[in-house]
Amino acid sequence: MPSTLVLHRGKIITCNDRGDVASAVAVRGRHIAAVGSDDEVLALAGPDARRVDLGGKSVLPGLTDGHAHMDREGLRRHLPSLAGARTRDDILDIIAAEAAKAPPGTWIVTQPVGQPPEYPEPDDALAGGPYPTRDDLDRVSPDHPVYIRPIWGYWRNRAPLVSVANSRALALAGVTPATASPSPDVNIERDAAGRPTGRFVERTLVPIVEHTLMRAAPGFTAEQRASGLRHAMAEYNRYGTTAVFEGHGVAGEVIDAYETVHGQGASTVRSTLVLSPYWGPRGEGQALELLREWSAWLARRGRGDDMLRVQGLYAEIDKDPLNNRLRAGNHPCTGWAGFQAGAALDADALAPLLAEAARAGIRVAGIWPDLLPLFEQAHRQHPIDDQRWVLGHQPVIDADTQARIRDLGLVLTTHTNRHIYKDGDLWMQRRGAAGQDDIVPLRRLRDAGVAVAFGSDNLPVSLFGPIWHAVARRSRGGGPVAPGQALSRQEALDIATRGGAYLTFDEDIRGSIEPGKLADLTVLNADPLTCAEDEIATLHSLLTVVDGHIVAPTP
């Protein structure tokens, strides 16, 4: 069978274990047919093959985002945006325009105040900034319940979260002068007479109000989640990402959205989803029974195919029991999170679940370092060193912790967008010169043979930021962040490609450009091996191929 797609006259960075570079690659159906010189590869093209002259452009294997939260990227587009609003009047003008076109009585729920993706705000935003009150909103929308949603706090990594409701929305939600706050971390702002102003202030990074006081406001529908996911996949494809691993776990409503998109034949990103479990009532011995029931479809490779797979379990020790119970009380709705607040359990309840997961071959993923002793405890009962359990987001890893991670065969997924770029200066201050090499120690991890994959955390979606962080080791302020832990460009590309494929147990079928592997490729706007160092972070895809099909730009 002749090749169906040929990319030639380029720089094919194969990311194979030899670091080979070629000038052409041929695709036959879903797979790579050949890699080599222009003449060799063009000779394999059939008469109907699509030939793409790369004009010297570079090609990489598709990138794998090891901690993506991809579903969040498309949710914002379903809500009216306040991104251009700089003043309270700007916000009111936008809401007035929404009210003019919405049938009376229907909800108007908007995006948070601020500019995505981080939604920064001035420190005095509540005192004199853009947040309106119920009375302000009533003036421009007297006939509609209005709710300005809070941000997902980890977008900017700073409290407070602020949301605002008008009088109609408060009435529908049952919020009155007598309403008590559900949590010490939630302030129902009140005027001098004790009347709620409509503004809710949360001293936490994970919203509570939308799941408690304002749960009457509509959440994201199943169609919005599926539609948002299709949009999100296109955005990730724009930056060469062709696969994701959702290591924080996803709730049932998000799994449903993925399965809807997959069933429509519309998936353009290979997705491996870890379950974020809803354990139900606690302390009644139900969790272990549930896990044994779920093992039929969570264990080992899980269920699905090479475009969509549900595999493994997210685990977390509950350090915020009151607020997590409040958030989980809105089950099955998860809001921005996409994962279950009720997934967290106290350590005594979690330990036997991890031991059972180890016995059953259920892969476990988590993001907090306090899980490591429980992973070790489970390993002593049933070895996990061949199961590739996952630990994500670790900002600091000392030599002892690294050895423990290596001995357990864990895969690490990094969050360099935060721990090197945004908070790198802070970590350097905390660790000092003597301890700086423990800050996301990529060089040491790689040299020790610890498996690593990059994650974006959807902040923003491009993996070329993390690739640049690994190479340049500089903070947003320009300061060095443990420069001795820098990687070469090729090493960073290997983590983004082969490292991600290893994370999803796919190293034999993708992650490098080699004959017989799945045809997931990205053509870049510049050469990642030779461009100016700071340009690495700005790279994007000119052409993305998934499963042998061109998916970006949209055909």
Side-chain angles (χ1 to χ4, degrees):
M1 177 181 173
S3 300
T4 52
L5 173 66
V6 175
L7 310 180
H8 63 102
R9 262 194 0 108
K11 182 177 181 179
I12 315 300
I13 303 169
T14 67
C15 293
N16 65 14
D17 56 9
R18 299 180 303 279
D20 292 338
V21 174
S23 62
V25 56
V27 173
R28 180 183 302 128
R30 303 175 59 220
H31 295 87
I32 295 168
V35 183
S37 70
D38 292 337
D39 290 342
E40 292 170 332
V41 172
L42 283 169
L44 301 175
D48 298 323
R50 179 167 181 176
R51 295 166 171 82
V52 178
D53 186 336
L54 296 169
K57 293 290 189 296
S58 294
V59 178
L60 283 178
L63 310 183
T64 297
D65 191 327
H67 198 103
H69 290 294
M70 184 168 65
D71 61 294
R72 287 185 198 155
E73 181 61 25
L75 291 180
R76 288 188 291 260
R77 64 193 295 268
H78 293 297
L79 305 178
S81 174
L82 304 179
R86 296 293 180 268
T87 67
R88 188 175 306 188
D89 285 343
D90 290 341
I91 291 174
L92 296 176
D93 287 344
I94 292 170
I95 291 174
E98 292 297 319
K101 60 188 180 185
T106 56
W107 278 86
I108 297 172
V109 180
T110 76
Q111 291 186 37
V113 173
Q115 182 72 29
E118 292 184 45
Y119 295 90
E121 63 172 8
D123 291 335
D124 64 349
L126 278 175
Y131 290 111
T133 65
R134 67 189 291 175
D135 296 328
D136 296 326
L137 296 175
D138 289 347
R139 284 198 301 274
V140 297
S141 184
D143 300 321
H144 302 79
V146 176
Y147 186 50
I148 299 174
R149 291 188 65 134
I151 69 165
W152 176 252
Y154 289 100
W155 284 336
R156 70 166 175 254
N157 298 313
R158 184 167 61 88
L161 316 183
V162 182
S163 57
V164 190
N166 74 348
S167 295
R168 276 185 172 259
L170 293 173
L172 289 172
V175 177
T176 71
T179 299
S181 171
S183 165
D185 293 315
V186 173
N187 175 37
I188 305 173
E189 188 182 78
R190 303 175 190 273
D191 62 20
R195 173 176 171 264
T197 67
R199 301 198 295 203
F200 302 97
V201 183
E202 306 180 59
R203 297 290 172 180
T204 176
L205 295 182
V206 181
I208 300 167
V209 168
E210 67 182 73
H211 297 301
T212 54
L213 297 169
M214 289 305 300
R215 66 187 296 175
F220 297 110
T221 67
E223 173 49 38
Q224 285 176 331
R225 285 197 176 275
S227 172
L229 190 56
R230 289 190 292 269
H231 173 80
M233 288 181 175
E235 284 297 300
Y236 280 69
N237 289 155
R238 287 182 58 218
Y239 294 96
T241 296
T242 61
V244 298
F245 178 81
E246 294 296 358
H248 202 136
V250 293
E253 62 176 344
V254 180
I255 293 174
D256 290 345
Y258 271 94
E259 290 180 339
T260 295
V261 174
H262 184 48
Q264 295 167 341
S267 294
T268 62
V269 175
R270 300 183 192 278
S271 305
T272 302
L273 312 180
V274 172
L275 174 68
S276 177
Y278 175 67
W279 295 115
R282 300 180 184 182
E284 298 182 11
Q286 298 175 352
L288 194 57
E289 295 176 12
L290 279 173
L291 184 60
R292 286 170 177 156
E293 291 176 14
W294 294 341
S295 66
W297 54 275
L298 287 183
R300 298 174 180 84
R301 293 289 285 153
R303 74 179 188 212
D305 56 28
D306 56 25
M307 284 303 298
L308 175 61
R309 186 168 296 280
V310 181
Q311 170 200 97
L313 185 78
Y314 175 77
E316 181 175 323
I317 297 174
D318 195 351
K319 296 183 287 292
D320 192 12
L322 170 61
N323 290 337
N324 279 335
R325 177 175 57 80
L326 292 170
R327 297 170 185 125
N330 200 24
H331 174 77
C333 298
T334 61
W336 295 119
F339 54 77
Q340 287 286 353
L345 295 171
D346 65 65
D348 288 341
L350 185 57
L353 295 179
L354 296 186
E356 173 63 17
R359 185 201 65 78
I362 299 174
R363 190 184 203 190
V364 177
I367 62 171
W368 300 104
D370 56 4
L371 279 175
L372 194 54
L374 293 188
F375 281 13
E376 291 171 322
Q377 181 178 328
H379 175 67
R380 287 193 291 271
Q381 298 177 62
H382 306 283
I384 65 170
D385 50 328
D386 63 348
Q387 296 186 28
R388 303 186 193 178
W389 285 23
V390 181
L391 196 59
H393 278 19
Q394 304 307 295
V396 172
I397 301 173
D398 61 23
D400 176 66
T401 302
Q402 175 180 293
R404 294 163 69 193
I405 288 168
R406 182 198 60 218
D407 291 346
L408 289 173
L410 303 186
V411 183
L412 283 176
T413 59
T414 63
H415 185 7
T416 61
N417 277 327
R418 180 173 182 181
H419 299 313
I420 292 180
Y421 186 59
K422 296 175 185 177
D423 290 350
D425 293 336
L426 177 62
W427 281 115
M428 288 290 284
Q429 292 171 12
R430 289 177 177 174
R431 300 297 297 175
Q436 65 173 301
D437 280 339
D438 293 340
I439 303 169
V440 195
L442 290 169
R443 164 54 55 205
R444 199 174 63 204
L445 289 165
R446 184 174 178 86
D447 291 347
V450 175
V452 177
F454 291 138
S456 72
D457 209 43
N458 187 238
L459 291 166
V461 305
S462 174
L463 276 186
F464 286 106
I467 291 168
W468 175 70
H469 305 152
V471 172
R473 302 291 305 204
R474 293 205 303 278
S475 70
R476 177 152 52 188
V481 182
Q485 296 302 313
L487 300 179
S488 72
R489 298 188 189 203
Q490 184 63 65
E491 288 172 325
L493 294 177
D494 287 345
I495 289 177
T497 54
R498 282 193 292 154
Y502 182 86
L503 171 67
T504 61
F505 287 94
D506 289 334
E507 67 271 21
D508 291 336
I509 62 171
R510 63 179 189 85
S512 58
I513 302 176
E514 299 181 79
K517 289 198 170 182
L518 291 167
D520 296 356
L521 310 165
T522 179
V523 181
L524 302 181
N525 62 311
D527 184 350
L529 295 177
T530 62
C531 67
E533 186 174 82
D534 288 351
E535 193 179 351
I536 297 171
T538 70
L539 295 177
H540 61 270
S541 178
L542 301 175
L543 186 81
T544 303
V545 176
V546 176
D547 220 36
H549 300 286
I550 295 174
V551 297
T554 303

